[in-house]
């Protein structure tokens, strides 16, 4: 995956129903390029489907985890861009203290989470990670009313 693929995935995560023409215009490439890249991402198993975002109160069967990430040097922008293009990253937060970023991860199984962790750990500029799996949600707020 290159930077265009990562930006494409980030845009689809924001709106998976965006038209190919709109995606192409925002990426500065042709519609054919977007179509070919989507096909390659799907064929390689990086994109495994398109989904609907649900309100937090709606139950999910997916495995969720938090990953705390330390970044080397001035790589924060590049690492964040790569993480936003990672299908297993549901949310990404900049933070202070020991960790530079906090990523909310989601996978369909422990093996799926393992694959997400492997891909993330290959991102150049990541120094150290620590992952914690959600066992149970004791309280969640509605948030922005989606």
């Amino acid at each position: 995956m290159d930077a265009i693929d990562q930006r494409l995935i980030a845009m689809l995560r924001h709106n998976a129903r965006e038209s190919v023409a709109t995606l192409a215009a925002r990426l500065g490439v042709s519609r054919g390029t977007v179509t070919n890249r989507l096909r390659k991402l799907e064929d390689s198993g990086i994109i495994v489907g398109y989904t609907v975002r649900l309100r937090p109160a709606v139950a999910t069967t997916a495995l969720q985890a938090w990953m705390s990430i330390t970044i080397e040097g001035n790589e924060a922008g590049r690492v964040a861009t790569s993480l936003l293009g990672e299908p297993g990253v549901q949310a990404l937060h900049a933070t202070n203290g020991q960790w530079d970023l906090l990523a909310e991860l989601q996978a369909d199984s422990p093996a799926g989470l393992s694959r997400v962790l492997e891909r993330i750990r290959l991102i150049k500029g990541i120094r150290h990670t620590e992952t914690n799996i959600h066992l149970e949600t004791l309280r969640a707020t509605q948030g922005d009313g989606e």
Side-chain angles (χ1 to χ4, degrees):
M1 279 197 327
D2 63 12
I4 291 175
D5 290 335
Q6 291 170 340
R7 288 178 50 215
L8 177 59
I9 290 170
M11 286 189 275
L12 289 171
R13 293 184 65 179
H14 178 72
N15 182 1
R17 295 183 64 185
E18 198 73 74
S19 71
V20 169
T22 300
L23 293 168
R26 289 185 180 161
L27 288 169
V29 298
S30 71
R31 292 188 308 257
T33 297
V34 170
T35 300
N36 289 337
R37 284 176 179 265
L38 286 172
R39 186 177 311 114
K40 286 179 185 176
L41 290 167
E42 292 166 352
D43 290 347
S44 68
I46 292 173
I47 294 178
V48 295
Y50 300 87
T51 188
V52 174
R53 288 185 295 155
L54 302 174
R55 286 187 316 237
V58 177
T60 179
T61 58
L63 181 63
Q64 294 180 299
W66 286 102
M67 176 183 269
S68 302
I69 303 165
T70 301
I71 298 171
E72 295 176 351
N74 294 330
E75 298 288 330
R78 195 176 59 69
V79 169
T81 298
S82 294
L83 288 168
L84 290 170
E86 164 56 49
V89 174
Q90 298 303 301
L92 185 63
H93 310 275
T95 187
N96 66 336
Q98 176 182 357
W99 305 102
D100 298 306
L101 296 172
L102 184 60
E104 185 176 350
L105 309 178
Q106 188 169 14
D108 58 352
S109 66
L113 180 61
S114 180
R115 289 188 296 275
V116 170
L117 297 178
E118 287 173 19
R119 289 193 304 264
I120 290 173
R121 290 178 182 136
L122 290 174
I123 296 172
K124 200 173 201 175
I126 291 180
R127 179 183 305 159
H128 182 70
T129 65
E130 181 178 306
T131 305
N132 295 287
I133 297 173
H134 293 203
L135 299 177
E136 177 182 12
T137 298
L138 302 174
R139 180 173 186 240
T141 57
Q142 274 305 114
D144 60 12
E146 286 187 67

